[in-house]
Amino acid sequence: MNGVGFIGAIIIGIFAGWIAEQIMGRKHGLITNLIVGLVGALIGAFVAGALGIHFMGWVGSLIISTIGAILLLFLLGLFKGRNRV
């Protein structure tokens, strides 16, 4: 996460995980949201970098992390059969 620091990354991870949970219709706890958000941040940063998208600050990190977290939950749902495509 670009320039938000360790505590900022945790806060953004929790929010990104929670937003992804709401969009994907899942029910998780705080720790799971944090993990989903942080892993989503890594996925989102990888995808954004591959597409040449640059982001900075809290808002950019939150958007990229949320997109990555949604992608993570979608892919996990494919393996568990929760997504209806």
Side-chain angles (χ1 to χ4, degrees):
M1 298 204 188
N2 291 338
V4 294
F6 181 72
I7 300 297
I10 290 174
I11 293 169
I12 289 172
I14 291 169
F15 279 126
W18 180 80
I19 292 168
E21 167 188 76
Q22 299 302 309
I23 291 171
M24 297 300 290
R26 308 284 170 82
K27 302 276 188 207
H28 300 130
L30 181 67
I31 299 299
T32 304
N33 285 343
L34 172 61
I35 294 168
V36 167
L38 292 176
V39 173
L42 295 174
I43 294 170
F46 175 78
V47 171
L51 296 174
I53 299 170
H54 303 286
F55 61 97
M56 295 190 78
W58 285 76
V59 175
S61 294
L62 180 60
I63 291 168
I64 294 297
S65 298
T66 301
I67 291 170
I70 290 169
L71 182 59
L72 174 64
L73 290 178
F74 177 78
L75 293 173
L76 289 175
L78 286 178
F79 290 110
K80 293 184 177 185
R82 291 186 182 175
N83 296 335
R84 297 179 194 111
V85 179

